[in-house]
Amino acid sequence: QVQLVESGGGLVQAGGSLRLSCTVSGSIFKINAMAWYRQTPGKQRELVAILAGGGSTNYADSVKGRFTIYRDNANNTVYLQMNSVQYEDTAVYYCHADLLVRSTDWDTIYWGQGTQVTVSS
């Protein structure tokens, strides 16, 4: 069974750094794209960064220049390097993946369980 396993959240001081990781566990055929979203209480989940299969990336304006998304293809793991974090980055971060489990399947969306990032001012 395919799952997304996240790690790396925690408490960090403003201006510090944190790295989140998300590993696709289980057998898959192809990763189309992987992304990180975040959500705070009372707000909609928002896209933070996305990494397409071809390697192109896109970021929310609020994190451009501070966050970097990249992938370890050999281990089916995507990372979110968070630098110069701000209080406003406090949220639950969710990994998102658009996968083909088998070559004959349709694209399927998977979500991680979420990891809390708290930035202290």
Side-chain angles (χ1 to χ4, degrees):
Q1 183 173 350
V2 176
Q3 293 182 0
L4 302 186
V5 181
E6 301 173 9
S7 63
L11 177 65
V12 59
Q13 284 191 332
S17 297
L18 202 63
R19 190 179 76 165
L20 307 181
S21 66
C22 172
T23 298
V24 179
S25 69
S27 177
I28 62 170
F29 176 71
K30 181 183 176 184
I31 296 175
N32 291 320
M34 294 189 75
W36 288 95
Y37 286 73
R38 66 187 181 187
Q39 189 171 24
T40 54
K43 293 189 176 181
Q44 285 192 331
R45 195 169 294 187
E46 64 171 357
L47 177 66
V48 176
I50 186 167
L51 173 59
S56 62
T57 57
N58 201 11
Y59 297 90
D61 288 343
S62 59
V63 307
K64 280 180 182 176
R66 300 187 298 118
F67 291 9
T68 302
I69 186 170
Y70 62 99
R71 203 171 105 188
D72 177 355
N73 290 327
N75 294 304
N76 286 340
T77 299
V78 68
Y79 299 94
L80 184 69
Q81 178 66 43
M82 306 167 61
N83 296 330
S84 303
V85 296
Q86 303 169 355
Y87 177 76
E88 293 74 20
D89 296 321
T90 297
V92 177
Y93 285 71
Y94 295 91
C95 180
H96 170 284
D98 180 349
L99 306 176
L100 277 176
V101 177
R102 290 175 292 273
S103 62
T104 53
D105 285 346
W106 294 102
D107 294 3
T108 304
I109 300 299
Y110 291 84
W111 289 94
Q113 77 280 9
T115 185
Q116 176 70 46
V117 172
T118 302
V119 181
S120 62
S121 57

